[in-house]
């Protein structure tokens, strides 16, 4: 179905990649850690490596959580738009198939928030 | 000499002359050119004359009633101001509930005015035209009285000094703003289902209770009086909403699926909007009226269901989303307040950790969820604050493309897992907080791809203060966005404890009760 309108119109999507000046929005969420209340929206260059994202973006974002220091990064389960995937750490976001407005989620088995309660 | 005195007009006669007889059939323009918006939504109306106006109110009586209401209202508001009525509220934390209300609602009233004024022009029959015109004037009146209320609070408290500017820009205020803009860009029939039926009829008590009863419980006579003055109009608005829906359903069986789709959509849109109301009821009123869960059970699960039973004879079904809302009622307010607490630097009001007796009240009201999931969160926040490390999440959140609320809602059956939904349109990805927001998008993607999402606008560089240079080496994006919002971090927001509001209120109240 589509929108009903008085006359035909061409919708102008507000958030296409071209509007972000060469960068792209990527959403990240550490599942079962609701202290951070919602996934975060990051503006990143497509050529940044996945490891750099972990070091310069995810670490300052989430390190305040007591679970963070205990993360075994080799055991982290990653999801890209809901599908499980294994990131290549020294490859760029683009090389990992992470494009504009991709949602990246990660689970840390055994670390499920304070008291194991999702927070 | 015999005088022939004309008899005064009876009510019925007056209604006929001053309402129905004002209309005419166009003779040199086609009817569809005069009323160009009546067909494109697919609603079929065969006979506008069968419309029954339940109030039979004519403009002359309307002006008389409203003028009387205004006189009473402003007499009380003036008295409230002269006597520094703001110092009689239970606790200055209450004023933050007013800040949320005053930041969001006057603009909603104004948009309701715009919407009903448009319907007053575009409805196809004189009866509904006149009813919509009166409602348009009511909504303008509500907007004006609320603006007067803002000025009374703004003189003394921080955060509401530029409500209109913030309403157009601030992230959380885009939620109510986009709700009404969605409605105002609908055709006339969908607009009236959205606002007149779903919002003002189905959900009205859930809006009314926290604000007006909340004001009464917390000693805010000005707001209480305004609320009652507005509520006397709402009875008319609710009846208009109900009358329109019955009229549409009686006119043609083909209208049913369209109307049902709109009810489903706008019940969900309305409930998502009420998230902030849930939070106000459970966390922001120092003297609670009832819990959000209790209000939902009384006003939706009992009263709302009897309304749907009444409409069942037309084939209307209870919206599917009600099942999810039942599951969320135990979680909604807690998830919202922890969000605002953590997002403190990005708001225009103060937050706090509930006191011990408030935590106990929440445990009692939410026996199945509060102690298990939410009390430990506040205890963690309190512990951090006591260590001098007040918890803040300074990151920009991902927003739902439809309701524009940060994606903070959890799966209906798993309160530890954020709900993610995703669609693609025209090669672009879109994200949603729920099945129901996703369905709304999937039905009309062209509408929602144009959403002005504050987070994306900030990331596009469209929300920096005028004159700031993002390429400058010392550019601070967060500070620039705050400046763009006209907010002063730490003064207009942050913890209530230690705020200028708290200090001033204590000092002024002290002056009214002691001699030092």
């Amino acid at each position: 179905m589509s929108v009903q309108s008085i006359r035909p119109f061409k919708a102008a999507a507000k958030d296409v990649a071209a509007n972000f000046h060469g960068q792209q929005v990527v959403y990240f969420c550490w599942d079962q850690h609701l202290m951070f209340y919602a996934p975060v929206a990051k503006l990143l260059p497509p050529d940044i490596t996945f490891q750099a994202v972990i070091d310069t973006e995810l670490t300052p974002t989430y390190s305040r959580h007591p679970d963070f220091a205990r993360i075994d990064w080799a055991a982290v389960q990653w999801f890209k738009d809901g599908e499980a995937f294994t990131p290549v750490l020294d490859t760029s976001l683009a090389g990992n198939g992470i494009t504009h407005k991709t949602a990246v989620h990660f689970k840390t088995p055994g670390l499920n928030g304070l008291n194991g309660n999702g927070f | 000499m015999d005088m022939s005195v004309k008899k005064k007009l009876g009510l019925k006669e007056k209604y006929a002359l001053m309402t129905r007889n004002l209309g005419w059939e166009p003779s040199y323009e086609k009817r569809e050119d005069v009323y160009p918006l009546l067909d494109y939504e697919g609603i079929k109306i065969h006979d506008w004359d069968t419309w029954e106006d339940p109030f039979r109110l004519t403009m002359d009586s309307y002006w008389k009633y409203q003028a009387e209401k205004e006189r009473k209202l402003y007499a009380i508001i003036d008295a409230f101001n002269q006597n520094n009525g703001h110092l009689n509220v239970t606790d200055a934390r209450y004023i933050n509930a007013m800040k949320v209300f005053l930041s969001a609602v006057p603009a909603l009233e104004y948009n309701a005015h715009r919407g009903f004024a448009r319907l007053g022009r575009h409805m196809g029959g004189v009866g509904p035209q006149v009813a919509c015109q009166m409602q348009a004037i009511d909504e303008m009146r509500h907007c004006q009285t609320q603006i007067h209320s803002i000025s009374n609070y703004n003189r003394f408290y921080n955060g509401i000094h530029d409500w209109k500017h913030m309403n157009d820009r601030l992230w959380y205020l885009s939620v109510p703003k986009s709700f009404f803009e969605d409605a105002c860009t609908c055709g006339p029939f969908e607009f009236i289902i959205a606002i007149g039926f779903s919002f003002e009829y189905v959900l009205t008590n859930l809006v009314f209770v926290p604000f007006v009863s909340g004001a009464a419980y917390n000693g805010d006579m000005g707001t209480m009086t305004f609320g009652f003055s507005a509520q006397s109009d709402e009875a008319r608005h609710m009846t208009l909403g109900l009358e329109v829906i019955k009229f549409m359903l009686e006119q043609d069986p083909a209208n049913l699926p369209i109307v049902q789709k709109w009810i489903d959509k706008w019940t969900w849109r309305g409930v998502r909007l009420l998230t902030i109301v849930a939070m106000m009821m459970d966390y922001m009123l120092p003297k609670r009226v009832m819990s959000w869960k209790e209000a939902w059970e009384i006003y939706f699960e009992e009263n709302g269901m009897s309304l749907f039973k009444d409409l069942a004879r037309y084939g209307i079904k209870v919206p599917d989303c009600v099942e999810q809302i039942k599951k969320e009622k135990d979680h909604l307010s807690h998830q919202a307040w922890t969000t605002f607490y953590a997002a403190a630097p990005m708001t225009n009001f103060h937050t706090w950790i509930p006191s011990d007796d408030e935590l106990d009240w929440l445990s009692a009201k939410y026996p199945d969820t509060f102690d298990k999931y939410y009390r430990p969160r506040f205890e963690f926040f309190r512990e951090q604050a006591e260590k001098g490390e007040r918890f803040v999440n300074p990151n920009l959140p991902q927003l739902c493309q439809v309701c524009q609320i940060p994606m903070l809602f959890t799966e209906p059956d798993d309160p530890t897992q954020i709900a993610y939904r995703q669609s693609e349109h025209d090669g672009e990805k879109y994200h949603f907080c729920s099945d129901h927001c996703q369905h709304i998008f999937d039905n009309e993607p062209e509408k929602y791809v144009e959403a002005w999402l504050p987070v994306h606008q900030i990331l596009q560089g469209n929300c920096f203060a005028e004159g700031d240079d993002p390429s400058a080496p010392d550019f601070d994006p967060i500070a620039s966005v705050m400046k763009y919002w006209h907010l002063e971090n730490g003064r207009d927001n942050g913890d209530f404890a230690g705020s200028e509001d708290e200090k001033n209120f204590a000092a002024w109240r002290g002056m009214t009760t002691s001699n030092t």
Side-chain angles (χ1 to χ4, degrees):
Chain A
M1 281 192 55
S2 75
V3 77
Q4 282 171 317
S5 57
I6 313 169
R7 61 187 79 85
F9 84 102
K10 177 97 184 83
K14 270 255 186 318
D15 298 323
V16 292
N19 295 348
F20 290 84
H21 315 289
Q23 308 218 68
Q24 62 185 23
V25 178
V26 184
Y27 308 108
F28 293 93
C29 190
W30 183 11
D31 279 346
Q32 314 283 314
H33 291 80
L34 291 168
M35 190 181 288
F36 305 94
Y37 74 79
V40 296
K42 298 279 185 186
L43 188 65
L44 301 171
D47 58 1
I48 187 173
T49 64
F50 204 88
Q51 185 63 52
V53 171
I54 294 176
D55 296 340
T56 62
E57 298 293 338
L58 301 187
T59 300
T61 298
Y62 292 120
S63 58
R64 181 131 188 215
H65 198 290
D67 280 353
F68 191 84
R70 295 157 56 205
I71 295 179
D72 170 7
W73 288 95
V76 170
Q77 299 167 350
W78 296 93
F79 298 84
K80 186 169 66 179
D81 291 335
E83 302 285 326
F85 85 115
T86 308
V88 183
L89 295 180
D90 56 358
T91 300
S92 67
L93 288 181
N96 276 293
I98 294 165
T99 56
H100 182 52
K101 289 169 79 183
T102 296
V104 176
H105 304 139
F106 60 105
K107 290 187 198 296
T108 48
L111 299 174
N112 296 317
L114 289 184
N115 315 316
N117 224 349
F119 180 61
Chain B
M1 194 173 82
D2 286 340
M3 296 275 287
S4 82
V5 179
K6 273 195 186 147
K7 224 173 61 183
K8 222 175 149 191
L9 291 176
L11 269 183
K12 213 172 157 186
E13 215 178 348
K14 195 160 96 175
Y15 175 73
L17 283 170
M18 297 187 70
T19 304
R20 296 306 175 100
N21 286 11
L22 295 177
W24 68 89
E25 279 304 314
S27 53
Y28 56 89
E29 291 285 356
K30 284 192 295 234
R31 194 176 151 79
E32 55 267 36
D33 292 339
V34 179
Y35 297 110
L37 304 185
L38 293 179
D39 293 328
Y40 81 98
E41 294 175 276
I43 291 291
K44 294 185 176 67
I45 304 293
H46 302 290
D47 184 3
W48 282 95
D49 285 338
T50 55
W51 165 270
E52 287 289 339
D53 182 357
F55 279 92
R56 297 189 177 274
L57 191 61
T58 52
M59 270 298 171
D60 59 329
S61 327
Y62 173 81
W63 289 121
K64 209 174 90 190
Y65 292 139
Q66 297 301 88
E68 184 57 29
K69 264 192 237 172
E70 286 282 279
R71 271 195 295 276
K72 284 181 186 158
L73 172 62
Y74 279 97
I76 293 174
I77 288 182
D78 281 347
F80 180 81
N81 294 335
Q82 300 278 340
N83 294 309
N84 282 320
H86 66 99
L87 295 176
N88 292 329
V89 302
T90 38
D91 169 340
R93 289 181 306 167
Y94 165 80
I95 292 155
N96 291 286
M98 287 316 297
K99 290 180 194 174
V100 174
F101 178 78
L102 295 172
S103 301
V105 181
L108 299 188
E109 304 276 11
Y110 184 71
N111 270 326
H113 156 76
R114 289 170 63 205
F116 279 101
R118 185 173 66 118
L119 263 56
R121 163 65 183 82
H122 281 290
M123 277 289 173
V126 186
Q129 280 172 4
V130 171
C132 288
Q133 284 163 13
M134 286 175 189
Q135 182 158 352
I137 301 167
D138 292 340
E139 305 291 3
M140 182 62 101
R141 184 174 86 88
H142 300 171
C143 176
Q144 286 173 336
T145 42
Q146 285 166 15
I147 292 170
H148 291 141
S149 302
I150 295 173
S151 92
N152 296 329
Y153 278 107
N154 179 43
R155 268 187 274 169
F156 304 106
Y157 304 101
N158 294 323
I160 40 176
H161 48 279
D162 219 345
W163 66 277
K164 185 69 183 76
H165 178 90
M166 291 183 206
N167 193 271
D168 286 332
R169 291 164 182 79
L170 207 55
W171 63 286
Y172 82 94
L173 294 172
S174 83
V175 175
K177 180 181 158 79
S178 61
F179 174 94
F180 251 87
E181 288 180 350
D182 188 351
C184 284
T185 48
C186 293
F189 292 109
E190 185 177 348
F191 177 85
I192 207 160
I193 294 290
I195 306 307
F197 179 74
S198 292
F199 201 66
E200 299 223 52
Y201 203 118
V202 182
L203 302 172
T204 190
N205 283 315
L206 292 164
V207 185
F208 185 76
V209 166
F211 293 133
V212 185
S213 306
Y217 270 56
N218 287 280
D220 180 357
M221 203 171 56
T223 303
M224 186 183 81
T225 311
F226 153 73
F228 284 124
S229 180
Q231 188 67 3
S232 59
D233 296 336
E234 304 300 347
R236 190 156 27 78
H237 301 174
M238 288 167 74
T239 315
L240 176 63
L242 189 61
E243 205 52 47
V244 169
I245 195 168
K246 288 182 173 172
F247 178 67
M248 284 157 75
L249 294 169
E250 280 164 3
Q251 285 287 315
D252 198 292
N255 293 342
L256 174 64
I258 306 175
V259 170
Q260 179 76 56
K261 192 179 77 182
W262 291 338
I263 292 178
D264 293 352
K265 169 181 169 182
W266 287 98
T267 301
W268 180 251
R269 295 282 273 128
V271 168
R272 271 292 182 252
L273 187 60
L274 295 189
T275 302
I276 201 160
V277 174
M279 167 183 112
M280 291 167 72
M281 290 185 74
D282 284 344
Y283 286 90
M284 301 187 80
L285 300 176
K287 172 75 186 154
R288 268 67 160 169
V289 181
M290 58 174 74
S291 69
W292 163 256
K293 184 181 171 185
E294 288 166 323
W296 176 258
E297 287 167 351
I298 294 172
Y299 295 115
F300 195 94
E301 292 178 10
E302 290 173 29
N303 299 1
M305 284 307 135
S306 61
L307 167 70
F308 280 107
K309 269 185 205 136
D310 184 37
L311 290 173
R313 65 197 162 103
Y314 297 100
I316 290 289
K317 291 203 260 319
V318 177
D320 289 343
C321 64
V322 168
E323 284 311 307
Q324 177 162 346
I325 304 161
K326 270 188 195 163
K327 292 177 180 171
E328 287 185 347
K329 70 187 174 189
D330 271 312
H331 301 279
L332 201 62
S333 63
H334 319 304
Q335 294 180 348
W337 186 246
T338 45
T339 295
F340 275 102
Y341 180 84
M346 294 192 281
T347 64
N348 66 330
F349 58 91
H350 296 296
T351 52
W352 52 87
I353 295 160
S355 62
D356 285 334
D357 62 316
E358 287 169 334
L359 290 173
D360 292 343
W361 183 88
L362 289 160
S363 298
K365 294 295 181 186
Y366 295 93
D368 300 333
T369 54
F370 192 75
D371 285 350
K372 184 167 180 203
Y373 296 109
Y374 302 106
R375 182 187 280 266
R377 299 181 188 187
F378 291 112
E379 284 167 352
F380 174 80
F381 286 150
R382 180 149 65 187
E383 206 182 283
Q384 295 289 304
E386 280 166 0
K387 279 198 291 185
E389 297 170 12
R390 200 259 196 224
F391 182 82
V392 163
N393 175 5
N395 297 284
L396 294 175
Q398 180 184 19
L399 306 180
C400 172
Q401 186 75 26
V402 171
C403 68
Q404 304 201 4
I405 300 175
M407 302 256 298
L408 61 94
F409 301 101
T410 50
E411 287 289 353
D413 294 309
D414 181 1
T416 68
Q417 175 63 48
I418 296 228
Y420 317 112
R421 301 291 182 272
Q422 193 170 338
S423 292
E424 229 176 271
H425 177 72
D426 221 1
E428 288 284 320
K429 294 171 180 176
Y430 296 94
H431 302 266
F432 315 96
C433 69
S434 55
D435 291 339
H436 307 289
C437 278
Q438 184 177 26
H439 292 162
I440 291 169
F441 178 91
D442 290 344
N443 271 328
E444 285 186 294
E446 296 88 341
K447 188 166 194 178
Y448 299 97
V449 301
E450 297 199 327
W452 195 93
L453 295 180
V455 167
H456 290 164
Q457 290 300 313
I458 291 169
L459 296 178
Q460 285 178 33
N462 298 335
C463 302
F464 297 131
E466 209 175 326
D468 281 7
D469 175 11
S471 63
D474 60 344
F475 178 69
D476 177 349
I478 303 284
S480 189
V481 171
M482 297 294 294
K483 219 158 90 185
Y484 167 82
W485 285 339
H486 293 184
L487 275 182
E488 198 182 315
N489 192 16
R491 186 173 187 235
D492 294 322
N493 56 24
D495 289 328
F496 173 73
S499 66
E500 200 171 74
D501 277 6
E502 184 193 43
K503 285 184 201 129
N504 284 338
F505 183 83
W508 293 329
R509 180 119 101 181
M511 285 161 74
T512 67
T513 53
S514 70
N515 301 307
T516 50

